[in-house]
Amino acid sequence: MDLLDTLTAKGLRGETPTREEALAVLATTDDELLDVVAAAGRVRRRWFGRRVKLNYLVNLKSGLCPEDCSYCSQRLGSKAEILKYTWLKPGQAAEAARAGVSGGAKRVCLVASGRGPTDRDIDRVTDTVAAIKEADPAVEICACLGLLSDNQAERLKAAGVDAYNHNLNTSEGTYGDIATTHTYADRVDTVQKAHGAGLSACSGLIAGMGESDEDLVDVVFALRELGSDSVPVNFLIPFEGTPLAKEWNLSPQRCLRILAMVRFVNPDTEVRIAGGREVHLRSMQPLGLHLANSIFLGDYLTSEGQAGQTDLDMIADAGFEVEGVGESTLPRHRADIAAAATGGCGTGATGGAGGGCGTAAVSGGSEGVDAAVGGCGTGGGCGPCGGHGHAAANADQAVDETAATVPAGSDEVRTDLVRVRRRGAGTELAPNA
Ligand code: SF4
């Protein structure tokens, strides 16, 4: 297939395809799907080998947000029966983070609901970062706190934060359809503030909100131009009690095409499968590892993921390996660019945490929301969100077996597929990692 030969050649050279080529990936047929995955998989392995970076979410403050992001279970007016709590204390957050790091995560994503942090909130996060790094000095920390005001990014950088997540979520042309309390330009501004302060930029999208192929391509190219070091790809988790509760627009095949397109447009950038992995890719999750080089371990902000051990088993069974703390996530040339942008020393090789060079984009002391999402993190809330429904009796039940029967285009509310997080941060129960 000429298209795939062209895209593979460009990707192996680190070049970006044309917009028409990206659209053509989304238009491929199911008969062509494995060829698409194989082609994008070659690009993924060229720049990231068989490594999978694990990220772990800690929801510092859950629910009760004044913003109206329609995909989010924490939004203004949400009827989703999620956990609601105010700021975790630094010790509580550090304990939650420890669980993820012990499970293999090299990055901890600290997420808080809300339009943006106050200066007092920055103090809280500063204390939390100190508590986490006291226990695990090498861990990468990404903050996802919403829209930033002047000097807040600099304060986070000084506190030891490595990256900042703020997703663009969708195209500029349709942004007004998913949120009205802030704008696409506000989100771009925060990503630029974070980058300008020397934080690695993590910014991604949410697919499945009713957008067109053109919208998806628009936002993915915008993220490339914005210089995002990490691109979280969320698949909408339709939460009961939110305006998008009945938006079941994705199939596993569609998700794989989207991931392949994101990989071709961002050949040498961290691509992370964020919220919705279990709900939409389902038994096709291992194929997603051939496209993305990063996932979240365990639960999401407000919904439950599959068991952390199941994530680890899936990675091993598919022939991939968990990326170590001492390994660089980004390939050297991209790490050098990121380091230059952040005032670091630009070593693309392994960097020791806190080595004094200030690399914000390389592991070992570096880099960038999940996909978690614009306003905040990933896909439904400010970090990878999740839907809700009833708490799973155990982690392995987080995704119901009936998931395989969900047709794209269904307009049902599926409380069997989307389960509210009831364990981990903000609860007395052990976290899923
Ligand atoms: S995505 Fe973030 S800003 Fe938007 S409603 Fe959810 S918590 Fe609030």
Side-chain angles (χ1 to χ4, degrees):
M1 186 176 185
D2 290 345
L3 170 68
L4 296 180
D5 290 343
T6 300
L7 290 172
T8 302
K10 287 186 175 182
L12 294 177
R13 295 194 299 266
E15 296 174 8
T16 303
T18 65
R19 179 185 166 81
E20 290 68 31
E21 289 166 341
L23 283 167
V25 173
L26 296 179
T28 52
T29 66
D30 285 353
D31 285 347
E32 297 165 327
L33 182 58
L34 283 182
D35 293 329
V36 171
V37 171
R42 282 189 65 192
V43 176
R44 179 252 201 261
R45 291 193 302 279
R46 164 70 176 89
W47 301 109
F48 300 95
R50 302 187 76 84
R51 304 189 310 277
V52 178
K53 179 176 183 177
L54 294 179
N55 309 271
Y56 190 70
L57 285 161
V58 177
N59 200 355
L60 296 177
K61 173 174 172 280
S62 182
L64 306 172
C65 184
E67 299 295 290
D68 70 351
C69 309
S70 54
Y71 53 83
C72 181
S73 60
Q74 307 184 75
R75 74 190 295 269
L76 178 71
S78 169
K79 300 288 193 299
E81 296 175 356
I82 59 169
L83 293 171
K84 298 183 181 70
Y85 54 86
T86 189
W87 290 90
L88 297 184
K89 292 185 167 49
Q92 294 172 312
E95 185 179 345
R98 183 93 272 282
V101 173
S102 298
K106 67 185 293 185
R107 168 171 292 193
V108 169
C109 304
L110 301 176
V111 187
S113 62
R115 178 177 175 84
T118 64
D119 287 344
R120 172 70 185 115
D121 294 337
I122 299 293
D123 291 340
R124 297 179 213 272
V125 174
T126 297
D127 293 343
T128 297
V129 171
I132 293 172
K133 292 218 169 183
E134 183 178 358
D136 295 293
V139 72
E140 293 178 23
I141 293 183
C142 182
C144 177
L145 311 172
L147 298 170
L148 292 174
S149 303
D150 289 345
N151 299 319
Q152 290 184 327
E154 286 77 5
R155 291 189 61 203
L156 291 170
K157 175 71 177 174
V161 171
D162 300 292
Y164 197 82
N165 168 257
H166 201 64
N167 295 333
L168 295 186
N169 290 332
T170 192
S171 69
E172 182 173 16
T174 56
Y175 199 84
D177 296 338
I178 65 164
T180 65
T181 49
H182 60 268
T183 66
Y184 180 91
D186 290 334
R187 288 187 174 255
V188 170
D189 177 67
T190 281
V191 177
Q192 291 174 333
K193 277 190 169 82
H195 219 183
L199 296 167
S200 178
C202 175
S203 187
L205 64 139
I206 308 173
M209 298 191 290
E211 71 283 341
S212 67
D213 286 1
E214 286 76 11
D215 290 322
L216 284 172
V217 168
D218 281 351
V219 68
V220 174
F221 274 84
L223 292 165
R224 179 74 177 176
E225 289 169 16
L226 205 50
S228 185
D229 297 318
S230 174
V231 177
V233 180
N234 292 279
F235 301 112
L236 176 72
I237 302 178
F239 262 85
E240 185 180 7
T242 68
L244 301 186
K246 296 183 178 180
E247 291 288 331
W248 289 93
N249 302 314
L250 298 168
S251 65
Q253 293 78 15
R254 171 76 170 166
C255 293
L256 290 170
R257 284 188 197 95
I258 291 168
L259 287 170
M261 184 272 285
V262 176
R263 170 56 70 202
F264 284 127
V265 177
N266 296 274
D268 50 4
T269 296
E270 177 184 339
V271 174
R272 188 180 313 171
I273 311 177
R277 166 165 58 93
E278 296 90 337
V279 173
H280 293 291
L281 277 168
R282 304 194 288 273
S283 60
M284 293 293 103
Q285 290 182 63
L287 282 182
L289 297 178
H290 289 268
L291 306 168
N293 63 299
S294 181
I295 64 171
F296 283 98
L297 177 71
D299 290 340
Y300 302 95
L301 293 177
T302 59
S303 69
E304 295 186 347
Q306 67 187 11
Q309 187 58 51
T310 303
D311 288 337
L312 298 175
D313 292 345
M314 174 180 72
I315 290 168
D317 290 349
F320 291 86
E321 58 190 30
V322 174
E323 185 173 284
V325 169
E327 297 178 280
S328 172
T329 298
L330 293 176
R332 179 165 188 131
H333 69 283
R334 283 283 286 125
D336 286 346
I337 293 170
T342 59
C345 63
T347 62
T350 302
C357 64
T359 64
V362 190
S363 66
S366 57
E367 188 259 353
V369 161
D370 123 61
V373 179
C376 329
T378 323
C382 294
C385 61
H388 65 311
H390 305 292
N394 62 56
D396 288 327
Q397 292 177 335
V399 178
D400 192 282
E401 59 275 12
T402 59
T405 66
V406 177
S410 167
D411 64 354
E412 297 177 46
V413 171
R414 296 300 305 263
T415 55
D416 54 332
L417 292 178
V418 184
R419 299 186 188 277
V420 172
R421 181 175 68 84
R422 298 292 183 208
R423 60 195 170 198
T427 78
E428 298 298 316
L429 300 178
N432 172 25

PDB file of all heavy atoms in Angstrom, residues 65 67-69 71-72 74-76 113-115 182 187 375-376 380-382, ligand 1:
ATOM      1  N   CYS A  65     -15.976  20.857  40.287  1.00  0.00           N
ATOM      2  CA  CYS A  65     -15.313  21.850  39.450  1.00  0.00           C
ATOM      3  C   CYS A  65     -16.328  22.872  38.929  1.00  0.00           C
ATOM      4  O   CYS A  65     -17.448  22.516  38.584  1.00  0.00           O
ATOM      5  CB  CYS A  65     -14.627  21.163  38.263  1.00  0.00           C
ATOM      6  SG  CYS A  65     -13.694  22.319  37.247  1.00  0.00           S
ATOM      7  N   GLU A  67     -15.997  24.494  36.138  1.00  0.00           N
ATOM      8  CA  GLU A  67     -15.956  24.520  34.671  1.00  0.00           C
ATOM      9  C   GLU A  67     -16.990  23.548  34.101  1.00  0.00           C
ATOM     10  O   GLU A  67     -17.481  22.656  34.807  1.00  0.00           O
ATOM     11  CB  GLU A  67     -14.549  24.157  34.178  1.00  0.00           C
ATOM     12  CG  GLU A  67     -13.470  25.110  34.652  1.00  0.00           C
ATOM     13  CD  GLU A  67     -13.643  26.511  34.088  1.00  0.00           C
ATOM     14  OE1 GLU A  67     -13.445  26.691  32.890  1.00  0.00           O
ATOM     15  OE2 GLU A  67     -13.978  27.428  34.859  1.00  0.00           O
ATOM     16  N   ASP A  68     -17.289  23.696  32.817  1.00  0.00           N
ATOM     17  CA  ASP A  68     -18.392  22.908  32.240  1.00  0.00           C
ATOM     18  C   ASP A  68     -17.962  21.969  31.110  1.00  0.00           C
ATOM     19  O   ASP A  68     -18.747  21.698  30.196  1.00  0.00           O
ATOM     20  CB  ASP A  68     -19.521  23.833  31.769  1.00  0.00           C
ATOM     21  CG  ASP A  68     -19.135  24.647  30.540  1.00  0.00           C
ATOM     22  OD1 ASP A  68     -17.940  24.629  30.148  1.00  0.00           O
ATOM     23  OD2 ASP A  68     -20.033  25.288  29.955  1.00  0.00           O
ATOM     24  N   CYS A  69     -16.752  21.447  31.183  1.00  0.00           N
ATOM     25  CA  CYS A  69     -16.275  20.516  30.145  1.00  0.00           C
ATOM     26  C   CYS A  69     -17.256  19.342  30.038  1.00  0.00           C
ATOM     27  O   CYS A  69     -17.452  18.603  31.004  1.00  0.00           O
ATOM     28  CB  CYS A  69     -14.881  20.020  30.494  1.00  0.00           C
ATOM     29  SG  CYS A  69     -13.717  21.355  30.881  1.00  0.00           S
ATOM     30  N   TYR A  71     -17.344  16.457  28.718  1.00  0.00           N
ATOM     31  CA  TYR A  71     -16.882  15.078  28.820  1.00  0.00           C
ATOM     32  C   TYR A  71     -16.537  14.669  30.241  1.00  0.00           C
ATOM     33  O   TYR A  71     -16.230  13.511  30.509  1.00  0.00           O
ATOM     34  CB  TYR A  71     -15.615  14.899  27.961  1.00  0.00           C
ATOM     35  CG  TYR A  71     -14.546  15.918  28.294  1.00  0.00           C
ATOM     36  CD1 TYR A  71     -13.691  15.736  29.361  1.00  0.00           C
ATOM     37  CD2 TYR A  71     -14.448  17.097  27.564  1.00  0.00           C
ATOM     38  CE1 TYR A  71     -12.750  16.688  29.686  1.00  0.00           C
ATOM     39  CE2 TYR A  71     -13.511  18.056  27.881  1.00  0.00           C
ATOM     40  CZ  TYR A  71     -12.663  17.850  28.947  1.00  0.00           C
ATOM     41  OH  TYR A  71     -11.757  18.808  29.278  1.00  0.00           O
ATOM     42  N   CYS A  72     -16.578  15.614  31.170  1.00  0.00           N
ATOM     43  CA  CYS A  72     -15.932  15.407  32.465  1.00  0.00           C
ATOM     44  C   CYS A  72     -16.918  15.088  33.581  1.00  0.00           C
ATOM     45  O   CYS A  72     -17.913  15.797  33.780  1.00  0.00           O
ATOM     46  CB  CYS A  72     -15.124  16.647  32.833  1.00  0.00           C
ATOM     47  SG  CYS A  72     -14.260  16.472  34.409  1.00  0.00           S
ATOM     48  N   GLN A  74     -16.380  15.496  36.593  1.00  0.00           N
ATOM     49  CA  GLN A  74     -16.190  16.424  37.717  1.00  0.00           C
ATOM     50  C   GLN A  74     -16.733  17.814  37.400  1.00  0.00           C
ATOM     51  O   GLN A  74     -16.550  18.755  38.159  1.00  0.00           O
ATOM     52  CB  GLN A  74     -14.689  16.521  38.041  1.00  0.00           C
ATOM     53  CG  GLN A  74     -14.042  15.158  38.275  1.00  0.00           C
ATOM     54  CD  GLN A  74     -12.591  15.276  38.695  1.00  0.00           C
ATOM     55  OE1 GLN A  74     -12.292  15.625  39.827  1.00  0.00           O
ATOM     56  NE2 GLN A  74     -11.679  14.983  37.770  1.00  0.00           N
ATOM     57  N   ARG A  75     -17.398  17.942  36.282  1.00  0.00           N
ATOM     58  CA  ARG A  75     -17.827  19.246  35.789  1.00  0.00           C
ATOM     59  C   ARG A  75     -18.936  19.859  36.635  1.00  0.00           C
ATOM     60  O   ARG A  75     -19.601  19.173  37.421  1.00  0.00           O
ATOM     61  CB  ARG A  75     -18.313  19.124  34.341  1.00  0.00           C
ATOM     62  CG  ARG A  75     -19.673  18.446  34.243  1.00  0.00           C
ATOM     63  CD  ARG A  75     -20.037  18.117  32.817  1.00  0.00           C
ATOM     64  NE  ARG A  75     -20.214  19.275  31.972  1.00  0.00           N
ATOM     65  CZ  ARG A  75     -21.373  19.903  31.787  1.00  0.00           C
ATOM     66  NH1 ARG A  75     -22.468  19.503  32.442  1.00  0.00           N
ATOM     67  NH2 ARG A  75     -21.458  20.921  30.968  1.00  0.00           N
ATOM     68  N   LEU A  76     -19.126  21.138  36.378  1.00  0.00           N
ATOM     69  CA  LEU A  76     -20.249  21.842  36.975  1.00  0.00           C
ATOM     70  C   LEU A  76     -21.542  21.121  36.620  1.00  0.00           C
ATOM     71  O   LEU A  76     -21.816  20.870  35.450  1.00  0.00           O
ATOM     72  CB  LEU A  76     -20.282  23.274  36.417  1.00  0.00           C
ATOM     73  CG  LEU A  76     -21.415  24.178  36.873  1.00  0.00           C
ATOM     74  CD1 LEU A  76     -21.216  24.572  38.336  1.00  0.00           C
ATOM     75  CD2 LEU A  76     -21.457  25.429  35.988  1.00  0.00           C
ATOM     76  N   SER A 113      -8.892  18.887  40.255  1.00  0.00           N
ATOM     77  CA  SER A 113     -10.003  19.477  39.522  1.00  0.00           C
ATOM     78  C   SER A 113     -10.035  20.976  39.772  1.00  0.00           C
ATOM     79  O   SER A 113      -9.531  21.472  40.791  1.00  0.00           O
ATOM     80  CB  SER A 113     -11.322  18.837  39.966  1.00  0.00           C
ATOM     81  OG  SER A 113     -11.538  19.101  41.341  1.00  0.00           O
ATOM     82  N   GLY A 114     -10.639  21.690  38.845  1.00  0.00           N
ATOM     83  CA  GLY A 114     -10.776  23.127  39.030  1.00  0.00           C
ATOM     84  C   GLY A 114     -10.343  23.888  37.803  1.00  0.00           C
ATOM     85  O   GLY A 114      -9.676  23.353  36.927  1.00  0.00           O
ATOM     86  N   ARG A 115     -10.719  25.154  37.758  1.00  0.00           N
ATOM     87  CA  ARG A 115     -10.338  25.987  36.604  1.00  0.00           C
ATOM     88  C   ARG A 115      -8.834  26.197  36.559  1.00  0.00           C
ATOM     89  O   ARG A 115      -8.224  26.208  35.504  1.00  0.00           O
ATOM     90  CB  ARG A 115     -11.046  27.339  36.703  1.00  0.00           C
ATOM     91  CG  ARG A 115     -10.685  28.294  35.583  1.00  0.00           C
ATOM     92  CD  ARG A 115     -11.468  29.593  35.675  1.00  0.00           C
ATOM     93  NE  ARG A 115     -11.020  30.559  34.663  1.00  0.00           N
ATOM     94  CZ  ARG A 115     -11.459  30.587  33.405  1.00  0.00           C
ATOM     95  NH1 ARG A 115     -12.353  29.698  33.010  1.00  0.00           N
ATOM     96  NH2 ARG A 115     -11.009  31.475  32.544  1.00  0.00           N
ATOM     97  N   HIS A 182     -14.195  28.238  29.320  1.00  0.00           N
ATOM     98  CA  HIS A 182     -12.866  28.665  28.912  1.00  0.00           C
ATOM     99  C   HIS A 182     -12.723  28.352  27.432  1.00  0.00           C
ATOM    100  O   HIS A 182     -13.582  27.688  26.847  1.00  0.00           O
ATOM    101  CB  HIS A 182     -11.769  27.975  29.743  1.00  0.00           C
ATOM    102  CG  HIS A 182     -11.795  26.475  29.624  1.00  0.00           C
ATOM    103  ND1 HIS A 182     -12.494  25.666  30.487  1.00  0.00           N
ATOM    104  CD2 HIS A 182     -11.251  25.646  28.711  1.00  0.00           C
ATOM    105  CE1 HIS A 182     -12.359  24.406  30.127  1.00  0.00           C
ATOM    106  NE2 HIS A 182     -11.606  24.367  29.043  1.00  0.00           N
ATOM    107  N   ARG A 187      -6.333  27.267  26.687  1.00  0.00           N
ATOM    108  CA  ARG A 187      -5.565  26.029  26.868  1.00  0.00           C
ATOM    109  C   ARG A 187      -4.194  26.137  26.212  1.00  0.00           C
ATOM    110  O   ARG A 187      -3.189  25.728  26.782  1.00  0.00           O
ATOM    111  CB  ARG A 187      -6.345  24.834  26.326  1.00  0.00           C
ATOM    112  CG  ARG A 187      -7.523  24.486  27.220  1.00  0.00           C
ATOM    113  CD  ARG A 187      -8.235  23.205  26.823  1.00  0.00           C
ATOM    114  NE  ARG A 187      -9.246  22.892  27.814  1.00  0.00           N
ATOM    115  CZ  ARG A 187      -9.136  21.936  28.722  1.00  0.00           C
ATOM    116  NH1 ARG A 187      -8.065  21.179  28.760  1.00  0.00           N
ATOM    117  NH2 ARG A 187     -10.103  21.715  29.593  1.00  0.00           N
ATOM    118  N   GLY A 375      -7.880  21.415  30.103  1.00  0.00           N
ATOM    119  CA  GLY A 375      -8.218  21.931  31.398  1.00  0.00           C
ATOM    120  C   GLY A 375      -7.364  21.223  32.310  1.00  0.00           C
ATOM    121  O   GLY A 375      -6.713  21.730  33.119  1.00  0.00           O
ATOM    122  N   CYS A 376      -7.305  20.027  32.126  1.00  0.00           N
ATOM    123  CA  CYS A 376      -6.509  19.311  33.037  1.00  0.00           C
ATOM    124  C   CYS A 376      -6.020  18.095  32.369  1.00  0.00           C
ATOM    125  O   CYS A 376      -5.434  18.110  31.375  1.00  0.00           O
ATOM    126  CB  CYS A 376      -7.285  18.942  34.208  1.00  0.00           C
ATOM    127  SG  CYS A 376      -8.517  20.092  34.559  1.00  0.00           S
ATOM    128  N   GLY A 380     -11.383  13.264  30.850  1.00  0.00           N
ATOM    129  CA  GLY A 380     -12.598  13.247  31.559  1.00  0.00           C
ATOM    130  C   GLY A 380     -12.263  13.795  32.851  1.00  0.00           C
ATOM    131  O   GLY A 380     -12.009  13.199  33.784  1.00  0.00           O
ATOM    132  N   GLY A 381     -12.061  14.779  33.059  1.00  0.00           N
ATOM    133  CA  GLY A 381     -11.659  15.294  34.286  1.00  0.00           C
ATOM    134  C   GLY A 381     -10.417  15.849  33.907  1.00  0.00           C
ATOM    135  O   GLY A 381     -10.137  16.029  32.803  1.00  0.00           O
ATOM    136  N   CYS A 382      -9.611  16.130  34.750  1.00  0.00           N
ATOM    137  CA  CYS A 382      -8.400  16.693  34.323  1.00  0.00           C
ATOM    138  C   CYS A 382      -7.455  15.554  34.155  1.00  0.00           C
ATOM    139  O   CYS A 382      -7.049  15.139  34.311  1.00  0.00           O
ATOM    140  CB  CYS A 382      -7.939  17.684  35.299  1.00  0.00           C
ATOM    141  SG  CYS A 382      -8.983  19.062  35.388  1.00  0.00           S
TER     142      CYS A 382
HETATM  143  S1  SF4 B   1     -11.761  18.745  32.722  1.00  0.00           S
HETATM  144 FE1  SF4 B   1     -10.829  19.829  34.489  1.00  0.00          FE
HETATM  145  S2  SF4 B   1     -11.559  21.981  34.200  1.00  0.00           S
HETATM  146 FE2  SF4 B   1     -12.883  20.693  32.921  1.00  0.00          FE
HETATM  147  S3  SF4 B   1     -14.668  20.243  34.243  1.00  0.00           S
HETATM  148 FE3  SF4 B   1     -13.197  18.538  34.472  1.00  0.00          FE
HETATM  149  S4  SF4 B   1     -11.989  19.049  36.323  1.00  0.00           S
HETATM  150 FE4  SF4 B   1     -13.017  20.940  35.597  1.00  0.00          FE
END
